[in-house]
Amino acid sequence: MPYPVVDAHRLIGPIPFDDLPEDPRPDMARLGIGRAYVTHSLSLHSDARAGNEALLALDDPRLVPVPVLLPDPPGPRWSGAGPTGAGWSGAGPTGAGPFGCEAGRDVPMVRLCPARHRFDLTGPSALRALAALGVPAALDLDETTPAQLLALARELPGQRVLLLNPGYRRLRAIAELMAALPNLWLEIGTVNTQRGVEWLARRFGAERLVFGTGAPVMDDCGPRFLLDHLDLPEADIALIASGGGLL
Amino acid sequence: MILDAHGHLGPWPDFLIPDQSAEGMVALMDRLGVDAVGISHLVAVGAGAEEGNRLAFAAAERHPGRFGVWQVYNPHQRNPLAASGVWGVKLHPDVHRCALDDPRYDPVWELGLPVLAHGQTDSPWSDPERFVTVARRHPQVPLLLGHAGLWPHGFARAAALVRDHPNVHLEICGSRMTGRWVARLAAAIGADRVVYGSDACFLDLRIGFGRVALAPLTDADRALVLGGNLARVLRAAGVLPEGHLP
């Protein structure tokens, strides 16, 4: 089907527990994925600052940076969002912003790892940082809980969230969240029980679903094939492929 | 020929499966060109082996040639097993909490039909090492190591463990399997020892099939994985006559 495909969730960089490619572009090309929102593996597994720095140094329009946000970093506060997302308007003497390094470009989305990185998703620092950035936040369902997501929505009603790696075993809980939170979008790469994606699309609309894989750690071949074979109208498939109503 | 070694029908209590039906499965099979899927009913894997097996046979009868039956044997229920008209026996050591090499499974090995068993790295019930134990005791019984051990950190180990036991094949369905790992396993153990399964309806047939369809395999290896290997195993066991689907 002739629609552009954007993978909302890919990694770039070395993976500590498997022999996987560091550069996502060859697999993207092979599978017909034109653009990917990427987070650097160093930010997830080693040093958020170093990973974000490496990520934001990339200069390829096929790779859209999604830096990892650690709340309450040292240095002056973020100055707020521009029309295309958040921007760093100037570093103080320490040179550090919310991504732990001097970010010289806008970012359309940030990644949060409250469990891995040991902060409270609805704590004052995280709320302040998210409010200042004003961009969507992507996080794994395993990094949070439905209750925390509900609390986040109460504190920041306008905060957009992309829920990553929801899996296939929690459709009931996910459906409750999607019904309760209009600003919640769902990555479909791990929604791989029989006709699970269609079940969600019928209930919430294709605009709430986002194609993403988590590759190379997670599979991209199966989800990419599923995308082309969804039992949905072509316009809905194209919408999911381009990021739903979020990206 | 495209044969899916690992399918299920019916509900599972742990989570919602939007489409559990045989009819839905056949519709997807037709769309993808999957000739047949080997099924065990999830009721049989769960609490009711005999009833679940009856449901699997009923589905196979409603859709002749499209479903092979992996009848479930529960060692605590000691349910009767059919000696013919099936692809073989499905064992789930983790759900039934009986280690794969436990003597309570002896009626299965004595039957001699192919066996598809849940395999899970590091599990006390179904670690791939237990497949090696069974393979040594019963080299005449074809064994499919379900999920290739399930967890990515165990895939290479599963391949290494069974490499020298030709009656064991790696069946590759699972939510943690990737197209890259399918290709790696084919390289590690030989494409002739890797068998496609989807776990549908537990998992989506399109994802399981698509993973192999888009995996970085040669076309020849892909054909072996997608059906050539399983056809050979089933024909050798006499449960898939030449030129005839079940």
Side-chain angles (χ1 to χ4, degrees):
Chain A
M1 305 175 87
Y3 47 78
V5 177
V6 178
D7 187 339
H9 178 202
R10 274 188 108 88
L11 296 181
I12 189 167
I15 301 293
F17 48 81
D18 202 348
D19 182 15
L20 297 169
E22 296 189 21
D23 185 347
R25 286 168 286 198
D27 281 335
M28 288 167 59
R30 191 176 70 84
L31 295 174
I33 296 172
R35 274 199 310 145
Y37 284 65
V38 293
T39 291
H40 205 283
S41 59
L42 288 179
S43 295
L44 296 179
H45 300 293
S46 295
D47 179 337
R49 179 202 62 79
N52 288 341
E53 199 162 54
L55 181 72
L56 295 167
L58 295 172
D59 185 24
D60 187 330
R62 293 174 292 174
L63 302 176
V64 184
V66 181
V68 170
L69 174 64
L70 283 177
D72 204 22
R77 288 193 57 192
W78 193 252
S79 67
T84 60
W88 176 254
S89 62
T94 63
F99 307 125
C101 62
E102 187 174 342
R105 57 192 285 198
D106 294 342
V107 297
M109 187 157 66
V110 293
R111 179 80 174 261
L112 299 175
C113 304
R116 178 189 300 272
H117 294 156
R118 305 291 205 271
F119 63 88
D120 188 341
L121 178 62
T122 54
S125 297
L127 294 176
R128 187 165 51 242
L130 287 171
L133 285 167
V135 300
L139 73 165
D140 280 40
L141 182 52
D142 283 346
E143 288 278 346
T144 183
T145 65
Q148 280 188 331
L149 292 171
L150 289 163
L152 177 65
R154 285 193 295 269
E155 296 292 335
L156 297 176
Q159 178 65 51
R160 292 161 291 171
V161 173
L162 175 60
L163 201 57
L164 304 176
N165 287 325
Y168 60 95
R169 291 176 172 249
R170 288 183 277 192
L171 282 185
R172 294 183 182 103
I174 288 164
E176 286 191 329
L177 275 178
M178 294 184 75
L181 304 177
N183 283 331
L184 182 72
W185 280 261
L186 193 76
E187 181 209 9
I188 65 165
T190 57
V191 179
N192 52 19
T193 191
Q194 190 100 299
R195 299 188 193 274
V197 174
E198 286 92 345
W199 186 84
L200 289 165
R202 279 193 293 274
R203 278 161 179 75
F204 303 106
E207 63 273 15
R208 301 281 302 280
L209 303 178
V210 177
F211 175 73
T213 65
V217 174
M218 305 299 287
D219 188 39
D220 48 3
C221 298
R224 180 69 185 88
F225 186 92
L226 175 66
L227 182 66
D228 282 346
H229 294 82
L230 283 169
D231 190 10
L232 292 172
E234 287 191 15
D236 285 358
I237 296 174
L239 183 56
I240 293 169
S242 65
L246 177 66
L247 303 179
Chain B
M1 176 184 294
I2 298 176
L3 297 177
D4 184 325
H6 198 150
H8 297 289
L9 299 174
W12 190 247
D14 293 358
F15 58 93
L16 171 69
I17 301 175
D19 186 352
Q20 315 156 2
S21 70
E23 291 66 35
M25 182 86 77
V26 170
L28 289 177
M29 291 163 65
D30 288 346
R31 185 186 308 180
L32 302 179
V34 175
D35 294 282
V37 175
I39 57 166
S40 57
H41 201 280
L42 289 172
V43 167
V45 176
E50 193 162 356
E51 170 60 13
N53 287 341
R54 186 191 68 76
L55 293 169
F57 280 112
E61 189 173 343
R62 291 202 308 277
H63 302 277
R66 306 309 301 280
F67 294 127
V69 172
W70 294 109
Q71 55 186 336
V72 175
Y73 183 73
N74 183 322
H76 310 292
Q77 297 173 8
R78 294 175 292 282
N79 55 292
L81 293 172
S84 63
V86 295
W87 280 10
V89 180
K90 171 66 185 277
L91 299 178
H92 207 303
D94 289 70
V95 172
H96 299 158
R97 299 182 190 177
C98 181
L100 185 69
D101 51 2
D102 190 288
R104 285 175 285 182
Y105 287 122
D106 283 351
V108 174
W109 315 125
E110 290 160 4
L111 195 64
L113 290 172
V115 171
L116 167 66
H118 178 84
Q120 185 169 326
T121 296
D122 300 328
S123 162
W125 317 109
S126 65
D127 182 87
E129 277 188 342
R130 297 193 183 272
F131 285 76
V132 172
T133 301
V134 171
R136 288 193 180 117
R137 290 179 186 164
H138 307 286
Q140 80 287 357
V141 176
L143 270 176
L144 301 184
L145 201 167
H147 313 289
L150 196 67
W151 306 121
H153 72 272
F155 291 153
R157 175 174 168 269
L161 282 169
V162 307
R163 183 167 42 229
D164 295 330
H165 300 278
N167 60 318
V168 185
H169 287 65
L170 297 177
E171 184 279 316
I172 50 124
C173 74
S175 61
R176 295 308 186 100
M177 180 59 71
T178 66
R180 190 184 332 277
W181 264 111
V182 173
R184 284 172 162 177
L185 292 174
I189 197 176
D192 60 333
R193 301 279 301 282
V194 179
V195 170
Y196 154 62
S198 65
D199 224 358
C201 62
F202 208 87
L203 301 179
D204 196 293
L205 181 64
R206 295 163 293 182
I207 286 195
F209 176 81
R211 179 173 296 139
V212 183
L214 298 182
L217 292 164
T218 67
D219 287 344
D221 284 356
R222 199 183 324 274
L224 288 174
V225 173
L226 281 179
N229 295 334
L230 184 58
R232 183 183 68 250
V233 170
L234 297 178
R235 286 191 180 116
V239 300
L240 191 74
E242 190 72 37
H244 175 72
L245 285 175

